[in-house]
Amino acid sequence: MARINEHFLKLQAGYLFPEIGRRVQAFAAEHPDKAAQIIRCGIGDVTEPLPSSAIEAMHKAVDDLATHENFHGYGPEQGYAWLRETIAQNAYAAHGIRISADEIFISDGAKCDMGNILDIFGADNVIAVPDPVYPVYVDTNVMNGNTGDVQADGTYEGLVYLPCTPENNFVPDIPKEKVDLVYLCFPNNPTGAVARRNELAKWVEYALANDAIILYDGAYEAFITAPLIPRSIFDIPGARKCAIEFRSFSKQGGFTGVRCGYVVIPQELTGKDGQGNRVPVSQLWARRHSTKFNGASYIVQRGAAALFTEKGMLETHTLISYYLGNAALLAAACRQAGLRVWGGENAPYIWVECPKGISSWDMFDKMLREALVVITPGSGFGSKGEGFFRISAFNTRDNVNEVCRRIHKLFS
């Protein structure tokens, strides 16, 4: 008899976003006359066309594959050198951060990397996650057997939860206990919070003192416009010895459907084996990467590299500004409706407190049925997300203006 991985049975009914899709489809089937009017502000998927620099580069890459002289088959698993070098120069060195090309691993997206990184860590680590939290952090640890069963409030035994609340501006406080792996995400998904330099410095200090590793999700770093907010954990002294950074082209260049991201693992970062010997983490990831991954496609990597050209950077700046403009409109509409709002300034998400007495999923139903707007219930991100909901700014400007009008009407 083939045995299944029973840890999957611990997972709650469904991953958050498919569950939202199921509910929206059910409502649309029930009210076919309203289906076309539904505006989706739930999932963080982009709507605008890809930058022309990336399109042109990918077209050229397709043409390369049509000739013997320029044909490319399997590429290097870590990614083509020309892409890793341009990332090291433009995403890090240009901001005064020392990262070398051989510390960068190209992938098909940050979400995959955040889950796959657990392959190189043991099952007996104490793991801390923010609450509310991007569901992938929790669910992949459940799948890997790093937790106990789910509890009544939706949390899992064995994880250390770091409450993110209005009182701490949704930046988690340092835990009192010792943990081995800690997930941080800034700009944060779902709350839109950003961490100041002194706040990240405290986390680096904690990690160094406790021999912990920070798994830093920087997928939304391109949305940071405030000059004093760090765009990378490696902007903090000492982080090279205690952090891994995950980044993505999904939001920077609209690559959600193209798929490309990267992981940065400094050479200085080490973990311990069972005998206490130090082992370079990058060597383990390189082994895992080359065994289980055949590399992002040549076409996609050419498109990603083009985002760092002078034209590409101008286009991505325009794209980011467009979505931040959407966020500003949505945040203002919610405030005008009398709701408490966070995020939306250095992030593409608006985190909103539900009206008193309304739960997150009740708010989801209210917005869907009465305003024909899809939002994300905060409780889907963790127990501390109850009483809040998230609005995504990834949408067309016309749709955003209409959502603002509907919010005003709903709460006026």
Side-chain angles (χ1 to χ4, degrees), residues 40-67:
R40 290 166 169 78
C41 294
I43 191 169
D45 195 5
V46 296
T47 59
E48 301 310 294
L50 294 179
S52 62
S53 56
I55 292 292
E56 292 163 5
M58 288 191 285
H59 276 302
K60 172 63 168 58
V62 171
D63 291 337
D64 287 347
L65 301 184
T67 68

Side-chain angles (χ1 to χ4, degrees), residues 71-257:
F71 182 79
H72 289 75
Y74 287 125
E77 287 88 353
Q78 190 171 342
Y80 286 99
W82 37 261
L83 176 55
R84 290 185 284 117
E85 289 164 0
T86 196
I87 291 172
Q89 176 58 43
N90 293 286
Y92 290 100
H95 300 282
I97 300 172
R98 177 174 61 90
I99 294 294
S100 63
D102 62 359
E103 295 173 325
I104 298 170
F105 298 80
I106 307 302
S107 71
D108 56 353
K111 178 179 179 180
C112 300
D113 292 332
M114 293 296 299
N116 292 334
I117 199 70
L118 293 175
D119 283 1
I120 66 173
F121 292 110
D124 55 352
N125 287 302
V126 179
I127 299 168
V129 296
D131 184 5
V133 65
Y134 182 42
V136 170
Y137 308 162
V138 172
D139 287 359
T140 52
N141 273 288
V142 176
M143 293 173 179
N144 276 41
N146 296 336
T147 74
D149 293 328
V150 66
Q151 302 178 91
D153 62 355
T155 61
Y156 283 89
E157 296 174 340
L159 291 180
V160 174
Y161 286 86
L162 308 173
C164 299
T165 65
E167 288 68 34
N168 60 16
N169 291 315
F170 299 99
V171 177
D173 297 322
I174 302 295
K176 294 180 174 59
E177 62 266 68
K178 181 184 183 302
V179 302
D180 303 304
L181 298 174
V182 57
Y183 291 81
L184 294 179
C185 174
F186 295 109
N188 186 258
N189 178 14
T191 66
V194 291
R196 293 169 296 182
R197 184 175 302 277
N198 66 316
E199 292 169 323
L200 288 183
K202 290 178 182 178
W203 274 107
V204 169
E205 180 182 352
Y206 171 87
L208 292 172
N210 291 275
D211 208 9
I213 293 178
I214 297 170
L215 303 177
Y216 193 83
D217 185 350
Y220 298 94
E221 57 82 24
F223 286 85
I224 294 175
T225 58
L228 298 181
I229 300 297
R231 296 182 68 158
S232 169
I233 189 66
F234 299 122
D235 201 19
I236 307 301
R240 286 182 58 88
K241 294 183 178 180
C242 66
I244 298 173
E245 184 161 281
F246 304 82
R247 286 195 178 185
S248 171
F249 294 105
S250 286
K251 308 308 190 296
Q252 174 188 352
F255 273 36
T256 55

Side-chain angles (χ1 to χ4, degrees), residues 381-396:
F381 297 105
S383 63
K384 295 300 181 183
E386 178 54 69
F388 299 87
F389 63 95
R390 189 193 77 175
I391 308 177
S392 169
F394 293 111
N395 223 310
T396 66

Side-chain angles (χ1 to χ4, degrees), residues 293-341:
F293 185 61
N294 261 343
S297 80
Y298 169 72
I299 298 168
V300 166
Q301 291 190 62
R302 282 297 186 192
L307 298 177
F308 292 105
T309 63
E310 183 177 353
K311 178 183 177 183
M313 287 190 285
L314 178 62
E315 290 176 331
T316 55
H317 175 76
T318 300
L319 190 64
I320 295 298
S321 297
Y322 181 87
Y323 291 126
L324 284 175
N326 285 348
L329 291 170
L330 290 165
C334 289
R335 290 191 178 99
Q336 290 167 7
L339 301 171
R340 294 181 73 194
V341 178

